[in-house]
Amino acid sequence: MGDQPRAYVLFHPVEGLTLKAGVGRGFKAPTLKQLSAEFESWAAMGGRGVIRGNPDLQPETNLSYEMGAAYESDTWSAGATFFHNKVRNLIDTVRQPTCFAPGRVCLAYENVARVRLQGVELTGGTDLSERWRLDANYTYLDARDQITGEPMPDRSRHRANATLAWKPLASMSTRMQLEYIGAQFRSDKQGKRPGYALLHWYMDYAVNRNLTVQVGVENLTDKRLANDDISLFSRADEGRRYFVGMRVQF
């Protein structure tokens, strides 16, 4: 979304507790590739799909409401936020009934006239000891096409993360993250795509106050969903990924 005018009200009834409520509007114009009639991407769905642009796309508009509460103490924190978004002309990739390329799946950028996205996000964290901390979050999302009444495809109703962090030295911290992605609706005929979990590991080391080295391994167990069942998980998986980076600050 582009720049969004927002109005928020914050209230602190007691120390550590914050209540908030807000409303905002958003606008998102289609990208040049999404609007281009000549644009084609043959990398969709791990090379099994083709996405074409659509010059008739309309901009997305969004009206969002939010209310929640958060509490933070010296050793633990918790929060809950309810959100309700009304989106008009949502830009989405839609599977086409026929395809010009044999053996492939054709998709196109299309507007979904009216979509409602609403749900609840829960967060929490606690210090287990001086060096260990556990943080978690959970999101429930009800994404629905208000014209057809059906759930929006390829969107998980349940998502969750849990992170266990360890700081053995003042200059070094490491954390293990468990990510859960719940079942996703595909269509009335295809049913749901089952949920799955991924495991990640990260480490930060501060060489000095200006330079921090970051390393990590994502998808530690090398889970490859499309290899398990290509009919359910059509997107190609990257599998286990290693990375090294640096953060410089002055």
Side-chain angles (χ1 to χ4, degrees):
M1 287 291 171
D3 293 336
Q4 300 186 44
R6 290 178 176 270
Y8 265 87
V9 176
L10 298 178
F11 178 52
H12 302 280
V14 296
E15 184 178 357
L17 178 62
T18 301
L19 306 179
K20 64 179 181 179
V23 60
R25 284 188 176 274
F27 172 89
K28 180 182 178 182
T31 65
L32 291 177
K33 74 174 185 179
Q34 290 173 337
L35 284 170
S36 174
E38 288 76 33
F39 172 77
E40 286 184 357
S41 172
W42 291 72
M45 301 172 67
R48 293 182 288 276
V50 185
I51 300 177
R52 279 183 164 178
N54 179 3
D56 297 324
L57 283 177
Q58 300 297 312
E60 285 184 18
T61 58
N62 175 48
L63 177 62
S64 62
Y65 302 91
E66 182 179 296
M67 62 184 300
Y71 181 80
E72 187 168 351
S73 73
D74 293 336
T75 58
W76 66 276
S77 62
T81 301
F82 168 77
F83 57 89
H84 179 93
N85 298 338
K86 294 181 178 179
V87 185
R88 290 187 178 273
N89 296 319
L90 175 73
I91 299 173
D92 203 3
T93 52
V94 178
R95 184 169 181 159
Q96 305 301 294
T98 60
C99 190
F100 63 91
R104 298 209 178 215
V105 175
C106 280
L107 306 105
Y109 293 106
E110 293 183 5
N111 288 116
V112 184
R114 288 167 49 196
V115 175
R116 184 202 66 203
L117 307 170
Q118 69 177 14
V120 177
E121 181 177 6
L122 306 176
T123 61
T126 183
D127 292 335
L128 302 177
S129 69
E130 185 178 347
R131 300 186 183 278
W132 291 87
R133 180 173 175 86
L134 178 64
D135 288 283
N137 65 70
Y138 164 77
T139 301
Y140 170 82
L141 173 66
D142 180 17
R144 195 166 296 273
D145 186 327
Q146 292 191 291
I147 301 299
T148 65
E150 290 188 347
M152 292 294 295
D154 302 320
R155 286 169 172 80
S156 299
R157 180 162 289 195
H158 306 280
R159 297 181 71 100
N161 286 276
T163 302
L164 181 62
W166 179 43
K167 193 175 180 65
L169 303 171
S171 59
M172 185 178 75
S173 63
T174 181
R175 61 194 185 278
M176 191 76 74
Q177 179 183 4
L178 178 64
E179 178 184 10
Y180 172 74
I181 296 91
Q184 300 174 359
F185 174 80
R186 294 188 293 168
S187 69
D188 286 336
K189 291 183 179 180
Q190 294 177 306
K192 291 184 178 181
R193 182 179 293 118
Y196 57 94
L198 299 173
L199 189 63
H200 315 298
W201 171 80
Y202 306 94
M203 186 180 73
D204 296 342
Y205 178 72
V207 180
N208 52 49
R209 65 179 183 178
N210 302 118
L211 176 63
T212 301
V213 177
Q214 301 171 311
V215 298
V217 184
E218 296 187 334
N219 193 359
L220 266 169
T221 59
D222 198 26
K223 193 172 186 63
R224 296 175 181 265
L225 301 169
N227 290 356
D228 294 341
D229 192 332
I230 194 171
S231 66
L232 286 175
F233 301 98
S234 55
R235 294 185 180 181
D237 302 296
E238 295 179 338
R240 186 183 296 116
R241 304 180 296 281
Y242 304 87
F243 72 88
V244 178
M246 292 187 298
R247 185 175 70 245
V248 180
Q249 56 188 8
F250 298 97

